[in-house]
Amino acid sequence: MVTSQVYKPFKAVAHVLIALAATVSIAQTNPIVMASTTSTEQSGLFAHLLPEFKKATGIEVKVVALGTGQALDMGRRGDADVMFVHDQAAEEKIVAEGFALKRFAVMYNDFVLIGPAADLAKAKGKDIVEALKKINSANAGFVSRGDKSGTHAAELRYWKAGGLEAPQFAGYKACGCGMGPALNMAASAGAYVLADRGTWLSFKNRADLVVLVEGDTRLFNQYGVMVVNPARYPHVKAGEAQKFVDWVTSAPGQAVVASYKIGGEQLFFPNAAR
């Protein structure tokens, strides 16, 4: 009788432990899905950032790295829980449409114009629009992402500012690819390409490519994060996704962003609190 009375509490504790183990197992095998950009993935930021988020919260994140336009489309379809992208106008639009909750600024870096050291188009300088006009006039090789990414959207803005709504010169090639492959194509062909600085700093196959244009205020590159709206898509793991947003915009998360460096050079600059 005593044995039975002692056994029951242990049995109850065992059931609790089993339930907790099952909960942990489900959390580990059912991560939140983040639709993000190739620049955050290929720069190595997520390999640095996400283990720290998991350490802080126990939540795993599965990243689907696409151009920003495609990442936002994932959110519109309810195929992601959170979006981490860099096209502020498009981000504000998706919030206004009701597909995402509030947008939060996270960090920034900048775009740079990369090109061959010989720079036959004489694009080098501090004015991105003038540089692109010179590349067009010289009919030089230019690799465009051509994938509706944040980088592609910025590139098209710069062409438009120079009077070219859609570049048509023979040297202009749209790869429909991520930042890393676009840089590889430019390195192979000795062509010009617009890149985010983070991916450029982590890029190893540079051949004779160098930074030719930087420092223009128009090259500022802001990143934002948003939870997909669970009122529209009830299956979205909004609670866990919001924990990521809260963490990456908090002081500890921002410190992890700031600590990511390559060769001693910081790739992204946190600005969630500004």
Side-chain angles (χ1 to χ4, degrees):
M1 187 72 177
V2 173
T3 303
S4 176
Q5 289 174 339
V6 172
Y7 175 71
K8 285 180 180 178
F10 280 104
K11 186 175 181 181
V13 170
H15 284 162
V16 169
L17 291 175
I18 291 169
L20 285 172
T23 301
V24 171
S25 177
I26 290 169
Q28 289 176 340
T29 57
N30 190 25
I32 61 171
V33 176
M34 179 190 294
S36 191
T37 73
T38 60
S39 60
T40 44
E41 176 76 2
Q42 293 171 1
S43 66
L45 174 67
F46 283 151
H48 173 78
L49 184 73
L50 296 183
E52 295 301 317
F53 172 63
K54 183 180 178 183
K55 191 185 301 182
T57 65
I59 298 170
E60 289 194 32
V61 181
K62 176 185 176 183
V63 177
V64 181
L66 303 162
T68 284
Q70 294 169 297
L72 292 173
D73 284 343
M74 276 189 68
R76 282 192 178 89
R77 296 191 302 268
D79 291 337
D81 301 302
V82 63
M83 297 169 284
F84 194 160
V85 290
H86 64 137
D87 185 347
Q88 186 165 343
E91 294 162 39
E92 290 171 350
K93 184 173 185 287
I94 199 170
V95 171
E97 292 170 342
F99 290 102
L101 303 181
K102 182 178 177 181
R103 174 193 176 275
F104 293 85
V106 178
M107 63 190 189
Y108 69 92
N109 62 6
D110 62 343
F111 295 113
V112 287
L113 182 70
I114 307 298
D119 188 24
L120 297 180
K122 302 190 185 306
K124 186 175 176 63
K126 290 188 176 293
D127 189 319
I128 184 61
V129 173
E130 287 303 313
L132 292 180
K133 286 164 72 173
K134 289 176 181 178
I135 291 168
N136 175 67
S137 296
N139 192 25
F142 186 96
V143 177
S144 170
R145 289 276 298 271
D147 63 347
K148 298 183 179 179
S149 62
T151 305
H152 182 218
E155 177 213 318
L156 293 180
R157 287 197 301 272
Y158 305 145
W159 285 116
K160 185 176 181 179
L164 289 168
E165 189 74 35
Q168 303 273 329
F169 61 98
Y172 186 87
K173 306 295 181 187
C175 69
C177 61
M179 195 69 258
L183 281 165
N184 274 319
M185 288 179 64
S188 176
Y192 296 86
V193 60
L194 184 74
D196 70 280
R197 191 182 292 273
T199 307
W200 168 249
L201 288 174
S202 64
F203 182 64
K204 306 300 182 187
N205 183 34
R206 295 184 178 183
D208 70 338
L209 295 183
V210 296
V211 175
L212 294 173
V213 179
E214 60 184 330
D216 188 328
T217 57
R218 290 170 291 193
L219 293 170
F220 180 80
N221 181 29
Q222 176 71 50
Y223 288 80
V225 65
M226 303 159 289
V227 175
V228 175
N229 190 352
R232 191 176 287 264
Y233 298 109
H235 64 273
V236 164
K237 295 184 281 293
E240 292 89 341
Q242 188 64 50
K243 285 182 181 178
F244 174 77
V245 171
D246 293 343
W247 179 82
V248 80
T249 57
S250 71
Q254 294 275 280
V256 175
V257 170
S259 70
Y260 182 51
K261 298 179 181 180
I262 292 179
E265 190 164 355
Q266 187 172 334
L267 273 71
F268 300 93
F269 298 84
N271 65 346
R274 73 182 179 95

